[in-house]
Amino acid sequence: MSDFLSTGTLPDHYEQLAKTVRDFAQSVVAPVAAKHDAEHSFPYEVVAGMADMGLFGLPFPEEYGGMGGDYFALCLALEELGKVDQSVAITLEAGVSLGAMPVYRFGNDAQKQEWLPLLASGKALGAFGLTEAGGGSDAGATKTTAKLDDGHWVINGTKQFITNSGTDITKLVTVTAVTGEREGSGGQERSDSGNRPGKKEISSILVPVPTEGFTAEPAYNKVGWNASDTHPLSFDDVRVPQENLLGEQGRGYANFLRILDEGRIAIAALSVGAAQGCVDECVRYAKERQAFGAAIGTYQAIAFKIARMEARAHAARAAYYDAAALMLSGKPFKKAAAVAKLVSSEAAMDNARDATQVFGGYGFMNEYPVARHYRDSKILEIGEGTTEVQLMLIAREAGL
Ligand SMILES: Cc1cc2nc3c(=O)[nH]c(=O)nc-3n(C[C@H](O)[C@H](O)[C@H](O)COP(=O)(O)OP(=O)(O)OC[C@H]3O[C@@H](n4cnc5c(N)ncnc54)[C@H](O)[C@@H]3O)c2cc1C
Protein backbone atom coordinates (compact mmCIF):
# COMPACT_ATOMS: atom_id res chain seq x y z
CA MET A 1 0.00 0.00 0.00
CA SER A 2 3.04 2.27 -0.05
CA ASP A 3 1.81 3.62 -3.40
CA PHE A 4 -0.29 6.18 -1.53
CA LEU A 5 2.22 7.15 1.09
CA SER A 6 3.09 10.45 -0.47
CA THR A 7 0.36 13.02 -0.71
CA GLY A 8 -0.72 14.07 -4.18
CA THR A 9 -0.03 10.66 -5.71
CA LEU A 10 -3.19 8.80 -4.88
CA PRO A 11 -4.40 6.11 -7.25
CA ASP A 12 -7.18 7.36 -9.53
CA HIS A 13 -10.12 5.78 -7.69
CA TYR A 14 -9.10 7.46 -4.42
CA GLU A 15 -8.54 10.83 -6.17
CA GLN A 16 -11.95 10.52 -7.79
CA LEU A 17 -13.64 9.74 -4.48
CA ALA A 18 -11.92 12.66 -2.74
CA LYS A 19 -12.99 15.02 -5.53
CA THR A 20 -16.59 13.82 -5.43
CA VAL A 21 -16.82 14.33 -1.66
CA ARG A 22 -15.03 17.70 -1.93
CA ASP A 23 -17.64 18.89 -4.45
CA PHE A 24 -20.46 17.62 -2.22
CA ALA A 25 -18.92 19.35 0.81
CA GLN A 26 -18.71 22.66 -1.05
CA SER A 27 -22.09 22.55 -2.75
CA VAL A 28 -24.31 20.82 -0.15
CA VAL A 29 -22.61 20.91 3.27
CA ALA A 30 -21.00 24.36 3.37
CA PRO A 31 -24.14 26.41 2.59
CA VAL A 32 -26.03 25.02 5.63
CA ALA A 33 -23.17 24.46 8.07
CA ALA A 34 -23.48 27.78 9.93
CA LYS A 35 -27.27 27.44 10.19
CA HIS A 36 -27.19 23.94 11.73
CA ASP A 37 -24.37 25.01 14.03
CA ALA A 38 -26.33 28.05 15.25
CA GLU A 39 -29.57 26.10 15.65
CA HIS A 40 -27.90 22.99 17.09
CA SER A 41 -29.93 21.01 14.58
CA PHE A 42 -29.04 17.62 13.12
CA PRO A 43 -28.49 17.97 9.34
CA TYR A 44 -30.85 15.21 8.17
CA GLU A 45 -30.86 16.46 4.57
CA VAL A 46 -27.05 16.40 4.42
CA VAL A 47 -26.94 12.92 5.95
CA ALA A 48 -29.49 11.76 3.36
CA GLY A 49 -27.23 13.16 0.64
CA MET A 50 -24.22 11.30 2.05
CA ALA A 51 -26.34 8.15 2.22
CA ASP A 52 -27.31 8.53 -1.46
CA MET A 53 -23.62 8.79 -2.35
CA GLY A 54 -22.94 5.53 -0.52
CA LEU A 55 -20.56 7.12 2.01
CA PHE A 56 -21.92 5.09 4.95
CA GLY A 57 -21.12 1.91 3.03
CA LEU A 58 -17.64 2.91 1.85
CA PRO A 59 -15.51 0.29 3.64
CA PHE A 60 -18.00 -2.61 3.53
CA PRO A 61 -18.29 -5.36 0.92
CA GLU A 62 -21.05 -5.16 -1.66
CA GLU A 63 -22.69 -8.32 -0.28
CA TYR A 64 -23.62 -6.25 2.79
CA GLY A 65 -24.81 -3.29 0.76
CA GLY A 66 -21.44 -1.53 0.93
CA MET A 67 -19.35 0.15 -1.76
CA GLY A 68 -16.57 -2.44 -1.62
CA GLY A 69 -13.99 0.20 -0.71
CA ASP A 70 -11.64 0.25 2.25
CA TYR A 71 -10.92 2.18 5.43
CA PHE A 72 -8.61 4.60 3.64
CA ALA A 73 -11.47 5.57 1.34
CA LEU A 74 -13.52 6.40 4.43
CA CYS A 75 -10.63 8.50 5.73
CA LEU A 76 -10.42 10.49 2.50
CA ALA A 77 -14.13 11.25 2.68
CA LEU A 78 -13.75 12.34 6.32
CA GLU A 79 -10.87 14.63 5.44
CA GLU A 80 -12.90 16.37 2.76
CA LEU A 81 -15.96 16.77 4.99
CA GLY A 82 -13.81 17.83 7.96
CA LYS A 83 -12.49 20.80 5.98
CA VAL A 84 -15.98 22.25 5.80
CA ASP A 85 -18.05 20.91 8.70
CA GLN A 86 -16.72 18.75 11.52
CA SER A 87 -20.24 17.94 12.77
CA VAL A 88 -21.12 16.31 9.47
CA ALA A 89 -17.77 14.53 9.34
CA ILE A 90 -18.12 13.09 12.87
CA THR A 91 -21.64 11.93 12.05
CA LEU A 92 -20.19 9.85 9.21
CA GLU A 93 -17.17 8.76 11.24
CA ALA A 94 -19.23 7.58 14.20
CA GLY A 95 -21.90 6.03 11.96
CA VAL A 96 -19.38 3.93 10.05
CA SER A 97 -16.37 3.29 12.23
CA LEU A 98 -18.19 3.10 15.58
CA GLY A 99 -21.78 2.22 14.60
CA ALA A 100 -21.43 -0.33 11.82
CA MET A 101 -17.82 -1.52 12.02
CA PRO A 102 -18.21 -3.50 15.29
CA VAL A 103 -20.95 -5.55 13.58
CA TYR A 104 -18.74 -6.09 10.53
CA ARG A 105 -15.64 -7.01 12.54
CA PHE A 106 -17.22 -9.12 15.29
CA GLY A 107 -20.78 -10.00 14.25
CA ASN A 108 -21.92 -13.45 13.17
CA ASP A 109 -23.54 -14.00 9.79
CA ALA A 110 -27.07 -13.40 11.03
CA GLN A 111 -26.08 -10.14 12.75
CA LYS A 112 -24.25 -8.90 9.66
CA GLN A 113 -27.20 -9.74 7.43
CA GLU A 114 -29.61 -8.04 9.79
CA TRP A 115 -27.67 -4.83 10.44
CA LEU A 116 -25.03 -4.06 7.84
CA PRO A 117 -27.23 -3.41 4.79
CA LEU A 118 -29.31 -1.02 6.87
CA LEU A 119 -26.34 0.82 8.41
CA ALA A 120 -24.32 0.83 5.18
CA SER A 121 -27.25 2.44 3.39
CA GLY A 122 -27.07 5.44 5.71
CA LYS A 123 -30.83 5.31 6.12
CA ALA A 124 -30.21 4.24 9.73
CA LEU A 125 -27.46 5.13 12.19
CA GLY A 126 -25.67 2.98 14.74
CA ALA A 127 -23.95 4.26 17.88
CA PHE A 128 -21.15 2.95 20.08
CA GLY A 129 -21.70 3.11 23.84
CA LEU A 130 -18.47 2.62 25.75
CA THR A 131 -17.98 5.74 27.86
CA GLU A 132 -19.71 6.06 31.22
CA ALA A 133 -19.84 8.89 33.73
CA GLY A 134 -17.11 7.25 35.79
CA GLY A 135 -14.95 5.99 32.94
CA GLY A 136 -13.90 7.46 29.59
CA SER A 137 -10.17 6.92 29.33
CA ASP A 138 -10.53 4.16 31.89
CA ALA A 139 -13.32 2.50 29.95
CA GLY A 140 -12.66 -0.83 31.66
CA ALA A 141 -14.31 0.72 34.72
CA THR A 142 -17.69 -0.02 33.10
CA LYS A 143 -20.51 -0.30 35.63
CA THR A 144 -23.35 -1.10 33.22
CA THR A 145 -24.41 -4.72 33.71
CA ALA A 146 -26.07 -7.33 31.52
CA LYS A 147 -27.47 -10.44 33.19
CA LEU A 148 -28.89 -13.50 31.48
CA ASP A 149 -32.52 -14.23 32.25
CA ASP A 150 -34.64 -16.72 30.36
CA GLY A 151 -32.74 -16.38 27.08
CA HIS A 152 -32.42 -12.60 27.32
CA TRP A 153 -29.78 -10.11 28.42
CA VAL A 154 -31.21 -7.68 30.94
CA ILE A 155 -29.18 -4.46 30.75
CA ASN A 156 -29.01 -1.81 33.48
CA GLY A 157 -26.82 1.26 33.65
CA THR A 158 -25.95 4.50 31.92
CA LYS A 159 -23.62 5.67 29.16
CA GLN A 160 -22.21 9.14 28.64
CA PHE A 161 -21.49 11.32 25.56
CA ILE A 162 -22.72 8.88 22.90
CA THR A 163 -22.64 10.16 19.30
CA ASN A 164 -25.55 9.46 16.91
CA SER A 165 -27.52 7.85 19.72
CA GLY A 166 -30.67 9.95 19.68
CA THR A 167 -31.48 10.92 16.09
CA ASP A 168 -34.75 10.04 14.39
CA ILE A 169 -32.84 7.48 12.31
CA THR A 170 -30.84 5.85 15.14
CA LYS A 171 -31.65 2.14 15.01
CA LEU A 172 -28.83 0.47 16.94
CA VAL A 173 -26.67 1.11 19.99
CA THR A 174 -23.86 -1.32 20.75
CA VAL A 175 -22.96 -1.21 24.43
CA THR A 176 -20.30 -2.67 26.64
CA ALA A 177 -21.59 -4.21 29.85
CA VAL A 178 -20.29 -6.35 32.66
CA THR A 179 -21.63 -9.85 32.01
CA GLY A 180 -19.93 -11.65 34.85
CA GLU A 181 -16.72 -12.17 36.74
CA ARG A 182 -13.63 -13.98 35.60
CA GLU A 183 -12.19 -16.82 37.62
CA GLY A 184 -8.99 -16.05 39.56
CA SER A 185 -7.19 -12.75 39.92
CA GLY A 186 -6.61 -10.24 37.13
CA GLY A 187 -7.79 -11.30 33.71
CA GLN A 188 -9.07 -7.94 32.54
CA GLU A 189 -7.52 -6.83 29.26
CA ARG A 190 -5.09 -3.96 29.55
CA SER A 191 -7.10 -0.81 29.48
CA ASP A 192 -5.89 2.33 27.74
CA SER A 193 -5.02 3.63 31.15
CA GLY A 194 -2.72 0.73 31.95
CA ASN A 195 -2.78 -2.75 33.35
CA ARG A 196 -5.49 -2.47 35.97
CA PRO A 197 -6.15 -5.84 37.54
CA GLY A 198 -9.75 -6.79 38.03
CA LYS A 199 -12.22 -9.62 37.63
CA LYS A 200 -14.80 -7.99 35.40
CA GLU A 201 -15.91 -9.82 32.32
CA ILE A 202 -17.00 -7.22 29.77
CA SER A 203 -19.03 -8.09 26.68
CA SER A 204 -20.68 -6.07 23.95
CA ILE A 205 -24.36 -6.35 23.18
CA LEU A 206 -26.53 -5.06 20.34
CA VAL A 207 -29.50 -2.99 21.49
CA PRO A 208 -32.00 -2.20 18.73
CA VAL A 209 -33.65 1.21 18.98
CA PRO A 210 -36.34 1.48 20.18
CA THR A 211 -36.31 -1.13 22.94
CA GLU A 212 -38.36 -0.75 26.10
CA GLY A 213 -36.28 0.64 28.96
CA PHE A 214 -33.74 2.31 26.65
CA THR A 215 -33.74 6.13 26.74
CA ALA A 216 -31.62 8.67 24.92
CA GLU A 217 -31.71 11.50 27.46
CA PRO A 218 -31.83 15.17 26.32
CA ALA A 219 -28.90 16.20 24.14
CA TYR A 220 -25.86 17.94 25.63
CA ASN A 221 -25.20 21.63 25.24
CA LYS A 222 -21.70 21.40 23.75
CA VAL A 223 -18.93 23.90 23.00
CA GLY A 224 -18.74 22.65 19.42
CA TRP A 225 -19.87 19.89 17.04
CA ASN A 226 -23.26 21.51 17.54
CA ALA A 227 -24.88 19.80 14.56
CA SER A 228 -23.72 16.39 15.74
CA ASP A 229 -26.04 14.30 17.92
CA THR A 230 -24.71 13.46 21.43
CA HIS A 231 -26.70 12.10 24.37
CA PRO A 232 -26.40 10.41 27.73
CA LEU A 233 -28.13 7.03 27.59
CA SER A 234 -29.95 5.09 30.24
CA PHE A 235 -30.77 1.39 30.32
CA ASP A 236 -33.49 0.37 32.73
CA ASP A 237 -34.12 -3.39 32.62
CA VAL A 238 -33.59 -3.38 28.86
CA ARG A 239 -34.25 -6.93 27.58
CA VAL A 240 -32.69 -8.12 24.34
CA PRO A 241 -32.36 -11.69 23.06
CA GLN A 242 -29.29 -13.67 24.14
CA GLU A 243 -28.27 -13.84 20.43
CA ASN A 244 -27.61 -10.08 20.54
CA LEU A 245 -24.23 -10.75 22.15
CA LEU A 246 -21.69 -9.27 19.71
CA GLY A 247 -18.55 -11.40 19.42
CA GLU A 248 -17.37 -13.73 22.11
CA GLN A 249 -18.66 -13.30 25.66
CA GLY A 250 -15.97 -11.55 27.71
CA ARG A 251 -14.18 -10.11 24.64
CA GLY A 252 -16.29 -6.98 24.42
CA TYR A 253 -13.70 -4.68 25.87
CA ALA A 254 -10.82 -6.04 23.81
CA ASN A 255 -12.95 -5.82 20.67
CA PHE A 256 -13.87 -2.23 21.39
CA LEU A 257 -10.18 -1.36 21.80
CA ARG A 258 -9.56 -2.72 18.31
CA ILE A 259 -12.40 -0.56 17.01
CA LEU A 260 -10.85 2.46 18.74
CA ASP A 261 -7.44 1.78 17.17
CA GLU A 262 -9.01 1.98 13.73
CA GLY A 263 -11.23 4.86 14.73
CA ARG A 264 -8.18 6.91 15.64
CA ILE A 265 -7.05 6.85 12.01
CA ALA A 266 -10.48 8.08 10.99
CA ILE A 267 -10.42 10.86 13.60
CA ALA A 268 -6.93 11.76 12.40
CA ALA A 269 -8.26 12.11 8.86
CA LEU A 270 -11.12 14.31 10.07
CA SER A 271 -8.60 16.40 12.03
CA VAL A 272 -6.39 16.83 8.97
CA GLY A 273 -9.45 18.07 7.13
CA ALA A 274 -10.07 20.62 9.87
CA ALA A 275 -6.42 21.71 9.84
CA GLN A 276 -6.48 22.05 6.04
CA GLY A 277 -9.83 23.82 6.06
CA CYS A 278 -8.28 26.49 8.28
CA VAL A 279 -5.37 26.90 5.86
CA ASP A 280 -7.69 27.23 2.87
CA GLU A 281 -9.83 29.86 4.61
CA CYS A 282 -6.74 31.82 5.63
CA VAL A 283 -5.08 31.80 2.21
CA ARG A 284 -8.22 33.21 0.66
CA TYR A 285 -8.76 35.81 3.40
CA ALA A 286 -5.11 36.91 3.56
CA LYS A 287 -5.21 37.79 -0.14
CA GLU A 288 -8.37 39.87 0.25
CA ARG A 289 -8.12 41.58 3.61
CA GLN A 290 -6.41 44.94 3.42
CA ALA A 291 -4.52 46.61 6.26
CA PHE A 292 -2.11 49.54 6.03
CA GLY A 293 -2.60 49.67 2.28
CA ALA A 294 -1.76 46.06 1.46
CA ALA A 295 -3.26 42.58 1.65
CA ILE A 296 -2.39 41.08 5.05
CA GLY A 297 -0.90 38.04 3.29
CA THR A 298 1.93 40.24 2.03
CA TYR A 299 3.09 40.69 5.62
CA GLN A 300 5.54 37.99 6.58
CA ALA A 301 4.04 37.56 10.04
CA ILE A 302 0.79 36.40 8.43
CA ALA A 303 2.37 34.48 5.53
CA PHE A 304 4.65 32.54 7.91
CA LYS A 305 1.74 31.78 10.23
CA ILE A 306 -0.18 30.29 7.29
CA ALA A 307 2.92 28.47 6.04
CA ARG A 308 3.31 26.83 9.44
CA MET A 309 -0.36 25.85 9.39
CA GLU A 310 0.14 24.23 5.98
CA ALA A 311 3.18 22.35 7.28
CA ARG A 312 1.17 20.99 10.24
CA ALA A 313 -1.63 19.79 7.98
CA HIS A 314 0.82 18.21 5.54
CA ALA A 315 2.77 16.35 8.24
CA ALA A 316 -0.42 15.18 9.95
CA ARG A 317 -1.78 13.88 6.65
CA ALA A 318 1.39 11.87 6.09
CA ALA A 319 0.92 10.38 9.58
CA TYR A 320 -2.62 9.18 8.91
CA TYR A 321 -1.74 7.89 5.43
CA ASP A 322 1.04 5.89 7.07
CA ALA A 323 -1.26 4.44 9.75
CA ALA A 324 -3.89 3.55 7.13
CA ALA A 325 -1.29 1.91 4.88
CA LEU A 326 -0.06 -0.24 7.77
CA MET A 327 -3.60 -1.20 8.74
CA LEU A 328 -4.63 -2.12 5.20
CA SER A 329 -1.53 -4.22 4.66
CA GLY A 330 -2.30 -6.21 7.81
CA LYS A 331 0.70 -4.93 9.77
CA PRO A 332 0.61 -3.71 13.39
CA PHE A 333 -0.72 -0.16 13.36
CA LYS A 334 -1.56 0.67 16.99
CA LYS A 335 1.37 3.05 17.46
CA ALA A 336 1.00 4.65 14.04
CA ALA A 337 -2.70 5.24 14.70
CA ALA A 338 -1.94 6.84 18.07
CA VAL A 339 0.76 9.04 16.51
CA ALA A 340 -1.60 10.08 13.71
CA LYS A 341 -4.40 10.90 16.15
CA LEU A 342 -2.05 12.84 18.41
CA VAL A 343 -0.36 15.02 15.79
CA SER A 344 -3.43 15.62 13.65
CA SER A 345 -5.71 16.64 16.52
CA GLU A 346 -3.02 19.03 17.74
CA ALA A 347 -2.58 20.34 14.18
CA ALA A 348 -6.33 21.00 13.97
CA MET A 349 -6.42 22.84 17.30
CA ASP A 350 -3.26 24.85 16.58
CA ASN A 351 -4.45 25.76 13.09
CA ALA A 352 -7.88 26.76 14.36
CA ARG A 353 -6.26 29.12 16.89
CA ASP A 354 -3.94 30.62 14.28
CA ALA A 355 -6.75 30.92 11.72
CA THR A 356 -8.86 32.85 14.21
CA GLN A 357 -5.92 35.21 14.69
CA VAL A 358 -5.51 35.70 10.93
CA PHE A 359 -9.21 36.62 10.69
CA GLY A 360 -8.92 39.15 13.52
CA GLY A 361 -12.27 40.17 15.03
CA TYR A 362 -14.20 38.32 12.31
CA GLY A 363 -12.55 35.12 13.48
CA PHE A 364 -14.39 35.54 16.77
CA MET A 365 -17.80 35.68 15.10
CA ASN A 366 -19.62 32.38 15.28
CA GLU A 367 -20.85 32.39 11.69
CA TYR A 368 -17.31 32.34 10.28
CA PRO A 369 -15.96 28.86 9.44
CA VAL A 370 -12.72 29.49 11.32
CA ALA A 371 -14.68 30.35 14.48
CA ARG A 372 -16.56 27.07 14.09
CA HIS A 373 -13.25 25.21 13.68
CA TYR A 374 -11.99 26.99 16.81
CA ARG A 375 -14.93 25.63 18.84
CA ASP A 376 -15.09 22.27 17.08
CA SER A 377 -11.42 21.30 17.14
CA LYS A 378 -10.93 20.98 20.89
CA ILE A 379 -12.89 17.73 21.10
CA LEU A 380 -10.49 16.18 18.56
CA GLU A 381 -7.89 16.15 21.36
CA ILE A 382 -10.37 14.38 23.68
CA GLY A 383 -12.68 11.97 21.82
CA GLU A 384 -11.68 8.39 20.91
CA GLY A 385 -8.78 8.62 23.35
CA THR A 386 -7.41 11.83 24.78
CA THR A 387 -3.99 13.25 23.92
CA GLU A 388 -2.70 11.75 27.17
CA VAL A 389 -4.07 8.31 26.22
CA GLN A 390 -2.28 8.51 22.84
CA LEU A 391 0.95 9.40 24.65
CA MET A 392 0.44 6.42 26.97
CA LEU A 393 -0.03 4.11 24.00
CA ILE A 394 3.04 5.47 22.22
CA ALA A 395 5.15 5.26 25.39
CA ARG A 396 3.98 1.69 25.97
CA GLU A 397 4.90 0.72 22.40
CA ALA A 398 8.32 2.22 23.06
CA GLY A 399 8.68 -0.19 25.96
CA LEU A 400 8.11 2.33 28.75
C1 LIG B 1 -18.82 15.19 21.74
C2 LIG B 1 -18.39 13.86 22.28
C3 LIG B 1 -18.70 12.71 21.60
C4 LIG B 1 -18.35 11.46 22.13
N1 LIG B 1 -18.77 10.30 21.50
C5 LIG B 1 -18.59 9.10 22.11
C6 LIG B 1 -19.17 7.90 21.58
O1 LIG B 1 -19.82 7.92 20.53
N2 LIG B 1 -19.02 6.74 22.27
C7 LIG B 1 -18.31 6.68 23.44
O2 LIG B 1 -18.21 5.60 24.02
N3 LIG B 1 -17.71 7.81 23.96
C8 LIG B 1 -17.85 9.00 23.33
N4 LIG B 1 -17.29 10.15 23.87
C9 LIG B 1 -16.52 10.05 25.09
C10 LIG B 1 -15.03 10.31 24.91
O3 LIG B 1 -14.43 9.24 24.23
C11 LIG B 1 -14.45 10.54 26.31
O4 LIG B 1 -14.92 11.79 26.76
C12 LIG B 1 -12.94 10.53 26.32
O5 LIG B 1 -12.45 9.24 26.05
C13 LIG B 1 -12.37 11.01 27.68
O6 LIG B 1 -13.01 10.37 28.74
P1 LIG B 1 -13.56 11.25 29.98
O7 LIG B 1 -14.41 12.31 29.39
O8 LIG B 1 -14.19 10.33 30.95
O9 LIG B 1 -12.29 11.92 30.60
P2 LIG B 1 -11.33 11.23 31.70
O10 LIG B 1 -10.99 9.86 31.26
O11 LIG B 1 -11.92 11.42 33.03
O12 LIG B 1 -10.04 12.14 31.57
C14 LIG B 1 -9.90 13.42 32.20
C15 LIG B 1 -8.48 13.88 31.97
O13 LIG B 1 -7.57 13.00 32.66
C16 LIG B 1 -6.62 12.49 31.75
N5 LIG B 1 -6.26 11.12 32.17
C17 LIG B 1 -7.09 10.09 32.43
N6 LIG B 1 -6.38 9.00 32.80
C18 LIG B 1 -5.09 9.37 32.78
C19 LIG B 1 -3.85 8.70 33.08
N7 LIG B 1 -3.81 7.43 33.45
N8 LIG B 1 -2.70 9.41 32.94
C20 LIG B 1 -2.72 10.70 32.53
N9 LIG B 1 -3.84 11.38 32.23
C21 LIG B 1 -5.00 10.73 32.36
C22 LIG B 1 -7.32 12.54 30.40
O14 LIG B 1 -6.36 12.50 29.33
C23 LIG B 1 -8.06 13.85 30.50
O15 LIG B 1 -7.19 14.92 30.24
C24 LIG B 1 -17.61 11.39 23.32
C25 LIG B 1 -17.25 12.58 23.99
C26 LIG B 1 -17.66 13.80 23.50
C27 LIG B 1 -17.33 15.03 24.29
Side-chain angles (χ1 to χ4, degrees):
M1 303 306 298
S2 57
D3 55 345
F4 65 66
L5 263 183
S6 76
T7 56
T9 59
L10 294 179
D12 279 353
H13 64 288
Y14 288 132
E15 291 284 8
Q16 193 53 46
L17 171 73
K19 182 180 179 320
T20 304
V21 180
R22 194 177 309 137
D23 291 346
F24 175 82
Q26 288 301 337
S27 60
V28 177
V29 183
V32 294
K35 168 182 162 298
H36 284 297
D37 175 63
E39 295 174 0
H40 293 217
S41 50
F42 188 76
Y44 286 102
E45 77 284 15
V46 173
V47 171
M50 293 197 292
D52 289 343
M53 290 166 73
L55 298 190
F56 286 89
L58 268 179
F60 303 117
E62 289 170 17
E63 63 174 304
Y64 296 121
M67 298 288 280
D70 57 32
Y71 210 84
F72 183 65
L74 172 68
C75 289
L76 289 175
L78 291 171
E79 181 181 338
E80 293 303 332
L81 293 168
K83 286 178 186 171
V84 169
D85 188 340
Q86 294 188 40
S87 286
V88 165
I90 192 60
T91 300
L92 177 65
E93 194 276 341
V96 177
S97 97
L98 302 180
M101 197 55 88
V103 179
Y104 179 57
R105 292 267 179 251
F106 308 114
N108 58 33
D109 268 357
Q111 290 166 335
K112 287 183 191 172
Q113 292 296 349
E114 180 179 1
W115 289 109
L116 281 180
L118 187 63
L119 298 175
S121 76
K123 308 285 182 217
L125 287 174
F128 172 93
L130 177 68
T131 304
E132 297 190 2
S137 307
D138 188 9
T142 299
K143 288 205 173 79
T144 297
T145 58
K147 295 196 171 122
L148 268 181
D149 174 53
D150 195 20
H152 287 75
W153 293 106
V154 181
I155 307 170
N156 280 288
T158 58
K159 295 286 172 182
Q160 193 88 321
F161 307 137
I162 309 304
T163 304
N164 287 345
S165 60
T167 71
D168 295 348
I169 55 171
T170 301
K171 296 291 176 210
L172 176 70
V173 177
T174 305
V175 284
T176 48
V178 180
T179 47
E181 295 213 332
R182 290 182 185 281
E183 293 298 315
S185 61
Q188 174 64 51
E189 286 86 5
R190 279 163 68 101
S191 78
D192 271 355
S193 56
N195 195 8
R196 187 169 49 80
K199 292 185 184 176
K200 277 182 192 168
E201 174 198 273
I202 298 179
S203 306
S204 40
I205 298 175
L206 301 170
V207 178
V209 178
T211 295
E212 202 180 332
F214 166 81
T215 310
E217 305 289 352
Y220 294 98
N221 182 12
K222 294 172 294 192
V223 168
W225 286 6
N226 286 333
S228 147
D229 179 79
T230 325
H231 299 259
L233 305 180
S234 65
F235 299 81
D236 185 11
D237 280 337
V238 170
R239 289 178 77 85
V240 297
Q242 189 169 354
E243 305 82 76
N244 283 24
L245 179 73
L246 182 68
E248 208 181 306
Q249 187 169 336
R251 296 287 302 164
Y253 185 63
N255 291 347
F256 266 49
L257 290 188
R258 158 76 205 223
I259 291 296
L260 286 178
D261 280 338
E262 295 177 359
R264 283 170 188 146
I265 306 176
I267 293 288
L270 194 168
S271 304
V272 168
Q276 190 66 53
C278 289
V279 176
D280 297 348
E281 288 291 328
C282 283
V283 169
R284 187 182 52 70
Y285 191 72
K287 286 181 185 167
E288 288 169 6
R289 178 69 177 172
Q290 301 284 316
F292 299 99
I296 59 171
T298 62
Y299 300 121
Q300 203 175 53
I302 296 293
F304 274 19
K305 197 183 287 297
I306 298 171
R308 192 171 291 282
M309 291 165 62
E310 171 65 23
R312 288 188 197 117
H314 185 93
R317 183 179 296 106
Y320 101 68
Y321 277 27
D322 176 50
L326 286 172
M327 177 189 159
L328 292 186
S329 56
K331 300 202 174 108
F333 65 94
K334 190 184 256 296
K335 184 183 87 175
V339 168
K341 206 279 184 176
L342 175 77
V343 301
S344 60
S345 58
E346 290 185 347
M349 193 64 230
D350 290 347
N351 279 12
R353 189 190 58 242
D354 283 350
T356 303
Q357 191 70 20
V358 168
F359 271 68
Y362 297 99
F364 202 59
M365 297 300 120
N366 270 329
E367 69 268 28
Y368 278 75
V370 294
R372 198 154 18 87
H373 278 306
Y374 187 74
R375 286 183 285 107
D376 286 348
S377 294
K378 184 59 207 167
I379 182 60
L380 296 167
E381 296 181 320
I382 296 170
E384 295 200 33
T386 62
T387 293
E388 291 74 20
V389 164
Q390 308 315 314
L391 292 169
M392 276 188 257
L393 291 171
I394 296 164
R396 193 184 298 158
E397 292 281 325
L400 297 170

